[in-house]
């Protein structure tokens, strides 16, 4: 029987390389790294000499595995996802595709129609499918637009920023203006601006007054708030400290 110590001494480098591959894949620190940090014994020089070769071998194996995945099932999956439907006019398949999209996330009818057409379905068929989904209540643009406004308020966006977000999500312009007008009347954007102002004031406490004002105005501009609202809040939060 081969002595265990002799076997490890003879085959130590490949085993270290195998461990390196496993550790790299799992994100676990290798024992040799821990030994470097904790021991630093002079008798470990031979192990240190072997480690660069082990790491090089491990990196090479990982790269080869990655290239193999790209050439294999991974690449096939990506290619399959880009293939269009076998029949662009198949309404049943188009409806199933629409329901899968809605399972992932709510969408406006225009955004849903756009995605179906991009998938390769005939626009007339896709439009009929979206219209039917609106009829049965699975697509509700008005409810979706209000959910976007609530999301924007949570991010402390102003009226202009919310309109841009609604446009990006392909909500009808007239409907966007309607729900934003309702939010404005309810004071949603004023509340969001005050929340933003208090947040900036807390983060900039102790800084120069001009710096605090400038940062608040910059944040408010990025969020799309009205200058009139920002001016009132700036005066209330920062001018009293002058």
């Amino acid at each position: 029987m081969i002595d265990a110590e002799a076997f490890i001494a003879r085959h130590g480098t490949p085993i270290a390389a195998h461990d390196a591959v496993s550790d790299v894949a799992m994100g676990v620190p290798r024992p040799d790294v821990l030994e470097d940090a904790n021991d630093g014994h002079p008798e470990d020089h031979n192990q240190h000499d072997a480690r660069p070769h082990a790491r090089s071998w491990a990196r090479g194996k990982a790269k080869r595995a990655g290239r193999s995945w790209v050439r294999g099932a991974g690449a096939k999956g990506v290619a399959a996802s880009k293939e269009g439907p076998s029949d662009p006019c198949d309404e049943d398949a188009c409806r199933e595709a629409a329901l899968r999209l809605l399972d992932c996330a709510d969408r406006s009818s225009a955004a849903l129609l756009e995605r179906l057409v991009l998938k390769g379905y005939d626009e007339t068929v896709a439009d009929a499918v979206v219209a039917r989904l609106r009829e049965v209540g699975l697509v509700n643009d008005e409810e979706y637009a209000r959910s976007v406004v609530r999301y924007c308020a949570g991010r402390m966006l102003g009226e202009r920023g919310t309109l841009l977000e609604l446009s990006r999500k392909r909500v009808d312009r007239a409907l966007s203006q309607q729900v934003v007008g309702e939010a404005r009347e309810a004071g949603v954007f004023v509340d969001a601006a005050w929340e933003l102002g208090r947040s900036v004031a807390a983060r900039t406490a102790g800084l120069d007054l001009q710096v605090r004002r400038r940062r608040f105005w910059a944040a408010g501009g990025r969020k799309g708030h009205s200058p009139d609202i920002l001016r009132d809040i700036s005066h209330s939060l920062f001018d009293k400290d002058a």
Side-chain angles (χ1 to χ4, degrees):
M1 180 179 295
I2 299 175
D3 182 71
E5 293 183 2
F7 180 86
I8 292 173
R10 182 181 304 173
H11 303 286
T13 299
I15 293 174
H18 174 75
D19 291 343
V21 173
S22 301
D23 292 342
V24 168
M26 298 300 294
V28 179
R30 297 192 305 277
D32 57 352
V33 175
L34 297 180
E35 290 171 3
D36 290 344
N38 296 328
D39 295 337
H41 295 308
E43 58 267 29
D44 291 337
H45 287 316
N46 291 334
Q47 293 181 7
H48 294 326
D49 293 338
R51 283 167 195 153
H53 301 290
R55 287 194 291 268
S56 176
W57 184 88
R59 286 195 296 268
K61 185 169 183 179
K63 288 180 180 178
R64 289 193 296 273
R67 287 194 294 268
S68 174
W69 183 89
V70 170
R71 289 194 299 267
K76 291 178 182 178
V78 171
S81 67
K82 293 182 178 179
E83 292 177 357
S86 57
D87 181 5
C89 295
D90 186 340
E91 187 169 333
D92 289 338
C94 184
R95 182 172 58 252
E96 288 301 318
L99 292 173
R100 285 195 298 270
L101 288 169
L102 292 173
D103 278 343
C104 294
D106 289 336
R107 304 170 194 270
S108 65
S109 56
L112 181 59
L113 175 62
E114 181 180 60
R115 286 296 302 273
L116 291 171
V117 171
L118 286 174
K119 280 180 172 291
Y121 290 100
D122 180 79
E123 186 171 358
T124 302
V125 172
D127 190 46
V129 167
V130 173
R132 179 56 181 162
L133 292 175
R134 282 200 304 265
E135 289 176 7
V136 299
L138 293 179
V139 175
N140 188 322
D141 283 347
E142 189 169 335
E143 182 178 326
Y144 176 73
R146 290 196 172 94
S147 72
V148 173
V149 171
R150 290 192 295 271
Y151 165 77
C152 291
R155 292 178 56 204
M156 298 179 286
L157 266 64
E159 182 173 339
R160 180 166 47 87
T162 302
L163 282 169
L164 287 172
E165 184 69 9
L166 286 163
S167 175
R168 189 179 71 82
K169 292 183 179 295
R170 302 298 307 277
V171 176
D172 177 74
R173 182 176 179 81
L175 178 57
S176 296
Q177 292 175 338
Q178 174 192 327
V179 294
V180 165
E182 293 172 356
R184 186 197 315 118
E185 293 298 322
V188 169
F189 302 120
V190 173
D191 291 344
W194 271 102
E195 184 177 354
L196 177 65
R198 286 190 289 267
S199 175
V200 172
R203 291 198 309 268
T204 60
L207 297 180
D208 180 78
L209 184 58
Q210 288 293 77
V211 173
R212 303 182 76 196
R213 288 180 183 142
R214 185 167 62 247
R215 291 192 181 179
F216 170 65
W217 276 91
R222 289 193 301 270
K223 297 285 188 179
H225 283 285
S226 163
D228 292 337
I229 295 176
L230 295 178
R231 189 176 298 110
D232 291 341
I233 295 174
S234 177
H235 176 74
S236 298
L237 287 177
F238 303 111
D239 289 356
K240 65 182 181 181
D241 296 332

